[in-house]
Amino acid sequence: MNSALLPLLVAAPLSVAGLLILTWLPLWLSRTLLLAPSAVTLVASTALLWQTRDGSMLSHNVALWAEGVSIPFVVDTFSALMLWTTSLLVLVCAAFAIAVGDDKASYFGPLVLVLSAGVTGALMTGDLFNLFVFIEVMLLPAYGLLAMLGSLRRLKSGRIYVTLNLLTSTIFLAGVALVYGAADTVNLGRLAGAAAESPMVATGMGVIILALSVKSAAVPVHGWLARTYPSTSPAVTALFSGLHTKVAIYAIYRLYAVVFDGDATFLWIGVVVFSLTMLVGVLGAVGEDTTRSILVFHMISQIGYILLGVALFTELGLMAGIFYLIHHMIVKASLFLSTGAIEHTHGTGALNRLGGIAKREPLLALIFMGAALSLAGLPPFSGFVAKLTLVAGAFQAGEWVAAVIAVAVSLFTLMSMLKIWGGVFWGKEPEPRRPVEEPQTEGNGATSVLVRPKVPTVMLIPGVVLAATTLSIGLGATVLLDLSATAAANLLDTSTYVEAVLG
Amino acid sequence: MTVKSVLIWILGILWLPVYLAYDLLVGSLRVGWEILTPGSQIAPAFVEVPLRCRTDFEISMMANLVSLTPGSLTVAARHDPATVWVHAMYAESHSSIIRYVHTIEDNLLRATRPEGIPPRPEDLDRDEEGQRR
Amino acid sequence: MTLAITIGVLVFGAVFLMLQRGLVRIILGFVMLGHAVNLMLMSAGGTFRRAQPLLGYTSADTASDPLPQAFVLTAIVIAFSITIYMLTLAATGTDDDTEDAS
Amino acid sequence: MVLLILLLVLAAAVIGTPLADRLLGRNAGWLLAAVLLALAGVVLSLAPSVLADGRSIEFTQPWMPQIGVELRLRMDGVGWLFTLLVTGVGALIMAYSTRYFPKGRRLGFYFLMTLFAFAMTGLVLADDVVLLFVFWELTTIASFYLIGLSGPSASRPAIRTFLLTAMGGLALLTAVVLMALRVGTTQLSVILADPVWSQDTAFATTVAVLVLLAAFTKSAQFPFHYWLPDAMAASTPVSAYLHAAAMVKAGIYLLMRFTPAFSDVAVWNAALITFGLITAVLGAVFALQQHDLKKLAAYSTVSQLGLLVAVIGVGTEAALVAATVHTLAHALFKAALFMMVGVIDHQVGTRDLRELGGLARRMPVSAGVTVLSVLSMAGIPPLLGFVSKENVFKGLLEAPGPEWAGALAGTAAVVASVFTFAYSFRFAHGTFWGSPRGTTDVREARTTFLAGPAVAAGAGLVLGLAVPTLNQLAERATADTAGGDHPAELTLWHGLSVDLFMSLAAIGLGAVLVWWTASGERLAGRTLFPVTGPTVFEALHEGVIRLGHRVGDLTRSDSPTRHLVVPILVLIALTVAVTVTGIDVPDHFGETTDTVDWLLVALAVVAVIGAVVTGSRMAGLVMVGIAGFTTALWLFLLGAYDVALTQLVVEILTVVIAALVLRRLPKRFHKVPRSRTVLTALVAAAAGVSAAMGAYFLTGRRDISETGQYFLDHSVEDTGGSNVVNTILVDYRAMDTLGELVVLGVAGLIIIAVLNSSGLLPSHGDRRVVVSRNSAAYDADDNTLIMRAVSYSLLPLLVIWSVYLMLRGHNDVGGGFIAGLVGGAGFALVYLAAPSAEVARIRLAYPMIIGVGILVAVFSGLLGYFDGSFLRPLHTELDLPLGDYAHITTALVFDVGVYLGVVGVILTALNQLGLDESRPGDSTLGIMAPTPDQPPASTPDQDPGNHPEDPLDVASNGGSR
Amino acid sequence: MISGELAGDLLMLAGALTFLVGALGMLRLPDMYSRLSGVTVSGASGTALILIGLLVHQPSWMNMLKVALALVIQLATTAVGGSAMARAGYLTGAPKADSTLFDDLVVEAEEDTNSEEHPGHTRPDNDS
Amino acid sequence: MSIIDIALAAIVVSMIIATYRIMRGPSGADRGSGSDVIFFGFVGLVAILGVRLETALLVDIVVVCTLVGFLAAISLARLTAGGKR
Ligand code: NA
Ligand code: NA
């Protein structure tokens, strides 16, 4: 892929979004248009992964102005990996939304497309302020999607979500101001190592990292996530879980590597905070009683794991963190979608109102359990490799406590996964409170039978795709490990990146 | 329309801002005096004033001119029959306010009507009944 | 100094309002916070050169830093977008109350 | 290679089970039995090489080279024994299963059993610690599902078992990671041979404890012993395989495997011996107490595993010989016994000793097989169990430590054996002899059903009689674990030795115990402990859930405030931290303060105080407006004209739109307690000080930025524009502006989308008009006349003005955004002046304007590819009459897109929020949503963009979506 | 030009002082309607003087046009805004000064057919 | 202290007085009229400040300010009447 074409990955979904706003198209066409840009991005990012697998990078100064003046778009292995995973998730979640009919809500298509454009831009940009803008591009559709789909609580959640994110975006912007005030520039290439040298820049970057930590829902600023994600529709939750917090995490990795140059002075803060995040998240999950709220708290816990990687800032730690990140995005979305299929079919995600689904939906059960075991870090799924490398990374870096917490937390993770499993898939089916499907009438129509709804196969496909992905990443871990190692190497030694940004 | 009436009309247009400035000045001084001196001579009232204005533009201009003059304020307006309800800070009597508004109206209509202005209703009254009230 | 004080004052008001009950006050707080941060961006550009960066009127040696101005312009519009959306949210549901009646 | 083939065949069998199940139903077990039997044959064929020649078979294949993990397989004596057990016993049980289950398909069972066999084989062959762990966890997972297959009542036991064994697994994982990091390889044999174990006692002890934790949970050692009886919810074949012969032996395998590393670690010896013996005695006592044959067998397993653990803990050559032989013996008699429990249950319909008795006459073969296994279990000659038990006694007498340690260990083992004798007797006697109880309509089981247990029990007899054949195995296994060359002298009779007397004592005292407790009847059902394992587990589980709920409660609030305050506090903390640390900053650059500035400070203070103090929404709005205008003045003072203008217009549009919203809400803000206000003020003050300090100390302390100066110096040359801010917006950083435009456009879309899904509040009663409808002030048509006339005359002015601002923006104050905002303000004016919302409704497809705006902007960006890049502006000089020319750039097209987007959004907001009352057909959430938890917008058979609940939708969306 | 600048300054000062007088009316005048007259003083007279002062400071034909435009808009704002505010106050029952002589806008009770729906002047708009 | 400074101060004082009225009410219309004064004050401030800073393009900005004031006045009036037109 020619590096000048990188901006097209942003422009393409935007123009399709514009088109969808503008015109009324037949359903099949608008659905195709909704899926097409992320499919294209998936293909393109596969090509990018191939091009960057040796640690080289693609960079392009948008509009071809001078270096340091133009907004640079850069793709290295890390961003290509993220592009690949996010576009896969957009594709799969949008497909799920289509399967459940979410896409018929007003402007669903344009909103998802803009969201994906924002994500893509945020992953590629090498400019702090442009990063802010793309984060906003990604957030605005999210504000709407969260508040327009889902349960009764969605409006309250919408309020929390928008205010919290606005606050953190504003804090981010303040950080950008401080960095610019101290360092003369917002170009990441020019900022390379600046925070390690200047305490003024470090303070500004600290503010930015703080904002990103809130956006990635690290403890103690995690509550908003637990409170908001469960109330929208499952497809949207899956989408958000795969994109929003993860872009923030990506940015933390990138910024800490480039601007702080991995400065070891502050790493201990990260180790403490992210260890707490692991613990608090998982305990929260154990205490919840609906599928999605459990999964959402897990997400917080796993965010702790992922960020621990950057807080270790060793080759192994970074590699483990990046591997974990990719694994988590896929598995989490898979879980949201498989439980989402249940929610859509049975009208609830409450553990005490579901049961015995494993027997009726064996495939669904298989998908769920595969992802659940992966999440808990059990072999042979991707989660195992992720946990193993991360724990090894933590021990290697001498962070015993964090390592032990990481290990212990996975037991609680399993515990809460089993809570879902026991409440939803095993156990007794609850008595239906009302006819769940139109009664089957026979002959004279005197007898009516309550038919329990069955999850439509089309709702299962997205989950199957993702579960298969986590299994293949687990079994063929070497490919992703290779890529993660390359990405980690680029974070440890940022000279190539800096050169690319300024080139 | 005669040349004379057109000249009067053009003069009317030119005169209007001058008159407005004058009215503004007088009104401001009066209200300013009220504000700056102790005690109060305020005797407000809401007065219904029938107008000779015909178009929306005229009514609107009229209402605005009244409002622009410190001490009086258009509270409500009606299109047909053209009427404004004016809040006046110094309302000695109903008719004084009406006369005051009609004076403004004269100046406005001189600017908006090349064909010349119709007589005031109170003057019409006199003509019909043959005597001044 | 003066700009810093203004920023501090605005942030005080913003945070105070944001921590109140009721979405409208929170929104108003955010509007103020936006102002504060925009001023901070301006402050980051430096306040010692205050001439407009319009080269038809000012020479390039005295004009103020245009980059923060562009940032602020962008930030203002983004904040405006979110503000009107939040205002919409305040007019949905049952009320703009954000807390359970106590 | 043979090892890989072993595993691959098993993997193929796993994958093949669905097909086999489909074709053969429950008889698929025969096929699987054949496969396992064949594999067992292969293993046996390796005996000469592995056992006689003392060679190890190895295989290596790269897996995750990045972390040094490879697929390393290795078979030594220990591995050989366990592989044989897994495949051999597995074959018997598969065959047995074909008759245990009723006819029909058994996919789940066979799949998981085969998977388990695969995992277990992998576990005992793995020569890589990571691989070992992978297989270890796989056995746990397979066990979980196999237990759970038994239906709803088994789900709690399955979960309890899973969690407990998973905990052990995590200990193993930690140990694996520590070892791998320390030794620098994940190869098990290399790790075990590393000198670190003798050099670093602390490290060795840590890892030893972790490994024994893993083994204890897997092999059901006290205090984790309870899961095994709990897991009896599983079907009998599962118990026979996993809970007797194979999975529980994984722990034993692990302990044996790691003996070379830890045999000198004192904690290792002490813990293994102590906990092993406690488990042995407790298990045996509990076993005697059971009425349920299966539970009895389970506790018996616990007890036997305890003996094995203890004897491994001794760690001497003799002890390890004993461990090797007893592992084999126990696998044979216990698998047989479990299978017999299944047979009895199957034929009689119960396995409760209180309902059984006198079956020997009706089921003579069953009785024979059972007696054979029971005798082996009780340690009666000439069965294998006698030899192995005696070796265990002998091994335990060599317990390290003080003199009395061996004696004490031996005594404990004898005590356990006394009870073992008693429950063995109880098992056989209570079932097959004694008074016949319950149904008399019992028949002997079919031969095929009995074949499995019979072979296993028979093997115990044959091997007992031919016990010296096991010498090679014992020697090799001892060499693998204890090291050295220890000749094993396994024999039925080796003279009068201490261990013989111990055996005799066990048998004799056992007989006494049988007599004394009426073969256990008197002990059965008595509570010996105040708590049981499962209740403790459930209490802990419940406790964790409660704790979790508390943790969730910390953030369980729908109030944004509760969530907003946290980041603010963290930010304040950051300020405090930076202040305390103290950083050096340069002096301010140039003169930063002008006296007029103070005026703005004063205004800001007034606005903020007003906004903070007031209880009136309207006043609050205006105060914030003042703050906004003050900001605009600041921008003005700082030379940012474009920005100041934007700020002004945005501020006023905010007020306009807020006014549309506020009228739907009460006049006053919600009241909060004074204490909260004080607290809030403190936080706000701290935040304010932080922000001011940040701005004061961290900004304004350098010359104009290099980038900023670059723009000033080059903008005319680069872009042809002299309004530098505008050139940054549309040329240099058009990507930002594109994003900003999209953000604005999306705001419009989501306003429509959210209102479509949730409706709008009606006007609030607080603001009701109190004047009579007949009053002249009431009529809207008449009274808006004044405004209308003015607005309509201002509109064209504004439109022209806005186009002018757009066109000149590149060189002068203006640009797409300001222009769009001014144009939008014009529409707002007309909108506000209209006599009714219906008239006011601007009949433009405003969402389409947004779409067009975005498309135009992107399109102008794409034009840039003609000059090599997205958003690269193209320039041309356009000749005009009178010798004039105009500089045309695609940046202007971009600005047109921006203009359209801005206008579209303003129109959207006005039309969506400006309706007089809530829209017809709108409803608040409660009425609209059919049921809780069901997303209203996802009703499947709904046309896109056409929401039946909202008849105005088409109009309100401007006729499109 | 110096005298021009001085003239401009003086005009501006005069405007500002006029503005202040009008604003003081906000404190001194008895009811909302009278206070709106004070607003007019500030908005029309005060601002007009300032704008003229501005023109005197920066005299040019283009500026004259723009200042004229600004003046027109400003005066319209004052007038229309004042009217609109007065009517809004009247509609919502803003209290009138005790000294108010009469009110032609009040309709007789018998004419008021919708009195139940819109109970006359019963709810003074007092939200503080 | 120059003439211009006095003028500035006078306007700011006016605005503070208006703030009092906005805070005090008592009616919505009072708050609205107070706001009008504030907005007019800004027009004045911009004009005077512009002269003080000797900046070009000042008049353009003043025009926008007046426009903005118009919108504010009308929409606050509308709000006062609870949206009644
Ligand atoms: Na007046
Ligand atoms: Na703003």
Side-chain angles (χ1 to χ4, degrees), chain E residues 11-31:
Chain E
L11 272 168
M12 285 192 156
L13 179 63
L17 291 176
T18 311
F19 200 96
L20 178 60
V21 171
L24 279 171
M26 302 242 76
L27 296 177
R28 286 277 291 123
L29 297 171
D31 66 356

Side-chain angles (χ1 to χ4, degrees), chain F residues 3 6 13 21 23-25 54 57 61 64 73 76:
Chain F
I3 294 174
I6 297 171
V13 170
R21 183 48 69 198
M23 299 298 290
R24 185 67 216 282
E54 295 172 354
L57 292 165
I61 293 164
V64 174
L76 288 179

Side-chain angles (χ1 to χ4, degrees), chain E residues 82-103:
Chain E
S83 279
M85 200 59 76
R87 173 168 170 257
Y90 193 86
L91 287 174
T92 49
K96 295 180 265 195
D98 296 337
S99 54
T100 304
L101 298 175
F102 50 86
D103 184 353

Side-chain angles (χ1 to χ4, degrees), chain A residues 33-286:
Chain A
L33 283 178
L34 167 57
L35 297 178
S38 36
V40 168
T41 311
L42 189 63
V43 172
S45 53
T46 311
L48 289 173
L49 272 174
W50 181 253
Q51 280 173 280
T52 59
R53 71 194 187 284
D54 56 352
S56 62
M57 301 187 191
L58 284 84
S59 69
H60 177 65
N61 275 329
V62 178
L64 301 176
W65 304 111
E67 57 96 350
V69 170
S70 249
I71 290 173
F73 269 23
V74 186
V75 170
D76 68 348
T77 315
F78 191 13
S79 29
L81 258 181
M82 290 295 289
L83 283 173
W84 189 85
T85 318
T86 50
S87 51
L88 175 70
L89 291 186
V90 172
L91 196 61
V92 167
C93 294
F96 184 83
I98 289 173
V100 301
D102 272 0
D103 70 317
K104 290 171 183 165
S106 319
Y107 299 116
F108 182 87
L111 293 181
V112 169
L113 288 167
V114 170
L115 171 56
S116 66
V119 170
T120 310
L123 293 175
M124 291 193 295
T125 189
D127 181 284
L128 266 187
F129 188 80
N130 194 238
L131 176 62
F132 163 78
V133 172
F134 275 120
I135 289 179
E136 295 307 299
V137 172
M138 167 179 102
L139 277 172
L140 255 282
Y143 296 153
L145 288 170
L146 191 99
M148 68 195 236
L149 289 167
S151 73
L152 280 172
R153 278 194 57 251
R154 68 181 186 271
L155 285 176
K156 284 182 172 180
S157 298
R159 291 171 174 185
I160 297 174
Y161 187 74
V162 66
T163 49
L164 199 286
N165 273 294
L166 180 53
L167 175 65
T168 48
S169 292
T170 314
I171 293 175
F172 186 101
L173 196 56
V176 173
L178 295 182
V179 168
Y180 184 72
D184 239 37
T185 180
V186 289
N187 181 292
L188 282 187
R190 292 198 176 176
L191 281 172
E197 287 157 19
S198 153
M200 283 173 79
V201 180
T203 310
M205 282 309 295
V207 173
I208 288 179
I209 300 272
L210 166 67
L212 290 170
S213 304
V214 183
K215 284 194 188 290
S216 58
V219 166
V221 279
H222 62 288
W224 64 274
L225 187 95
R227 212 55 204 144
T228 55
Y229 275 30
S231 29
T232 183
S233 83
V236 174
T237 310
L239 197 62
F240 286 13
S241 98
L243 304 184
H244 283 95
T245 48
K246 305 312 172 294
V247 167
I249 289 171
Y250 166 85
I252 293 177
Y253 267 83
R254 178 69 77 202
L255 295 183
Y256 201 81
V258 174
V259 185
F260 281 92
D261 204 10
D263 191 349
T265 326
F266 308 106
L267 291 178
W268 67 271
I269 303 171
V271 172
V272 171
V273 169
F274 304 141
S275 299
L276 271 176
T277 306
M278 291 191 261
L279 203 58
V280 169
V282 84
L283 285 175
V286 168

Side-chain angles (χ1 to χ4, degrees), chain D residues 16-30:
Chain D
T17 42
L19 185 65
D21 174 71
R22 182 175 288 264
L23 296 176
L24 303 172
R26 65 171 183 174
N27 287 330
W30 291 120

